[in-house]
Amino acid sequence: KEDNPSRISFSSHFNEKTITGAKYITMGAKTPKSEKKMKKVKKAEEEIKKNNSDSDDNVKKEKRSDEKKAAKKLKKEAKKEKSSKRKRTADEQAEKEEESADQTLEEKENATLNEDSEKPEGCKTIFVGNLSFDIDEGTLRDTFKDCGKIISLRFVEDKKTGNFKGCVFIEFEETESTDKAMHLVGKEIMGRSLTVEYEGGKKKRIPSEKPEGCKTVFVGNLSFDIDENTLRDAFKVCGKIMSIRFVKDKKTGDFKGFGFIDFKNTESTDQALQLADTDIKGRSIIVEYVGDKKKDTKKPEGCKTAFVGNLSHDIDEDTLRDAFKDCGAIASVRLVKDRESGKSKGFGFIEFEDTESTDNA
């Protein structure tokens, strides 16, 4: 306006907004419309730039996420492989322990009694015990036929029930035949190891040597009908019983006629041996000390896991945790079970959070 006042009359018919717009034209400035358009363009450029930046960030984030997922997957697979390897090692160790335990039990089962029987003068009859309830006269005669001529066999039966008690008396024609029959002590017939004694002979039992601190006894020649309560009742006078374990056949699950009794105190085992030859359900039981055959194991560096064996098949994880809770913080407890039946195998593993806890265990 100041430079060219005539512009005023030229634009006087425009309204105020237009005149204001003419000012911008005179000054060579952009119109509000052009400015708005430029602002929109600039804003669009900024948005494009921002979107590109966000897109790059998203790509980077996705890349990092993919890398993180891949690393996590590899870590998981490595952990799984480590766990699988540790499980295989544990199972192998458990299998070896089980085989060792079974071998020990087999040796104990097949061992002949550390005893002798004094022969009465002119004795012609023997007592044969620990027989299978399914045995018949023909099988017995066939077993003892090489000893000499058999005059008679007498199966011992329960007076009340009339059931066979697992023992017989065999009478020979000659007294020398009984001497030959004594050589059949320990012979296995129908899954049972025979016991043979002279009739009327005074049996001399030589107790097995007691291992230091022994708290467990082997109990053999048990009736197949016996239960835990009956055995507990028979041995309760000896002291507090911690556990009773009947040994069963691994394949069939049938009771094998012997087991183990764990006492709280070692003195109880001495009293338990006094019950040897006691009649329980028609059988004269065998009682022997059980030695601690465990070998000292060298602790691996940083070891945090302990193997626990000879457990009751009815034990659960909580009971085991409670027993070892004073040793230190427990990370995990794993009871090893049979793959087919799902039943506990009587041993397991306890993993602690620190290595010192294994020493306490």
Side-chain angles (χ1 to χ4, degrees), residues 269-287:
T269 59
D270 301 326
Q271 297 180 45
L273 254 69
Q274 301 301 315
L275 296 179
D277 301 321
T278 299
D279 186 286
I280 299 180
K281 295 182 80 69
R283 288 183 178 270
S284 296
I285 64 170
I286 301 164
V287 186

Side-chain angles (χ1 to χ4, degrees), residues 22-262:
K23 179 182 177 181
Y24 286 109
I25 296 171
T26 303
M27 295 175 65
K30 298 174 183 178
T31 63
K33 187 175 181 181
S34 299
E35 186 179 349
K36 288 179 180 180
K37 187 175 181 181
M38 291 305 295
K39 283 183 179 180
K40 287 181 179 179
V41 171
K42 188 175 181 181
K43 187 176 180 181
E45 287 175 349
E46 288 176 354
E47 286 180 357
I48 291 171
K49 188 175 180 181
K50 184 180 178 182
N51 289 337
N52 289 338
S53 177
D54 290 342
S55 178
D56 291 341
D57 289 341
N58 289 336
V59 170
K60 290 178 181 179
K61 285 181 181 179
E62 288 177 3
K63 187 177 181 181
R64 285 198 297 270
S65 178
D66 291 340
E67 290 174 351
K68 192 174 180 181
K69 286 180 180 178
K72 191 174 181 181
K73 186 178 180 181
L74 288 173
K75 188 176 179 181
K76 189 176 180 181
E77 289 176 353
K79 188 176 180 180
K80 187 177 180 182
E81 178 65 24
K82 186 177 180 181
S83 176
S84 178
K85 185 177 181 181
R86 184 168 55 189
K87 185 178 179 181
R88 286 197 300 269
T89 304
D91 288 339
E92 287 171 4
Q93 181 182 351
E95 290 294 335
K96 288 180 181 178
E97 185 69 20
E98 186 182 17
E99 288 174 7
S100 177
D102 287 334
Q103 186 177 358
T104 301
L105 295 177
E106 205 66 34
E107 289 172 359
K108 176 62 76 174
E109 180 188 19
N110 295 331
T112 57
L113 297 180
N114 188 19
E115 60 183 21
D116 198 357
S117 177
E118 293 181 352
K119 180 180 179 179
E121 188 176 352
C123 176
K124 296 181 180 180
T125 304
I126 59 168
F127 169 84
V128 183
N130 198 33
L131 296 171
S132 166
F133 289 121
D134 298 323
I135 202 166
D136 55 28
E137 184 173 330
T139 303
L140 278 172
R141 284 186 175 275
D142 188 61
T143 302
F144 288 90
K145 65 182 180 181
D146 294 332
C147 299
K149 186 177 180 180
I150 297 173
I151 301 299
S152 66
L153 284 91
R154 181 166 60 89
F155 285 75
V156 181
E157 298 177 347
D158 186 276
K159 294 179 180 178
K160 293 182 179 180
T161 64
N163 294 330
F164 175 48
K165 297 179 74 174
C167 50
V168 300
F169 289 93
I170 302 176
E171 183 182 359
F172 293 95
E173 188 175 51
E174 304 289 340
T175 183
E176 290 79 10
S177 298
T178 58
D179 301 326
K180 294 178 181 179
M182 293 300 292
H183 291 292
L184 296 178
V185 171
K187 180 180 176 63
E188 187 173 301
I189 299 178
M190 299 179 70
R192 308 284 295 186
S193 299
L194 298 181
T195 60
V196 185
E197 300 168 23
Y198 294 110
E199 183 188 23
K202 185 179 179 181
K203 184 170 60 178
K204 298 184 295 182
R205 179 179 294 277
I206 304 174
S208 59
E209 184 178 351
K210 180 181 179 179
E212 186 178 353
C214 174
K215 294 181 180 180
T216 304
V217 294
F218 168 86
V219 186
N221 196 34
L222 297 172
S223 167
F224 290 111
D225 297 327
I226 201 168
D227 54 31
E228 186 174 322
N229 290 333
T230 302
L231 207 58
R232 279 186 178 274
D233 190 58
F235 283 86
K236 65 182 180 183
V237 295
C238 302
K240 186 175 180 179
I241 296 173
M242 302 303 292
S243 65
I244 292 178
R245 183 162 61 93
F246 291 121
V247 180
K248 298 181 180 181
D249 186 276
K250 289 175 65 177
K251 294 181 180 179
T252 65
D254 295 333
F255 176 46
K256 299 182 80 172
F258 62 94
F260 297 90
I261 302 177
D262 296 315

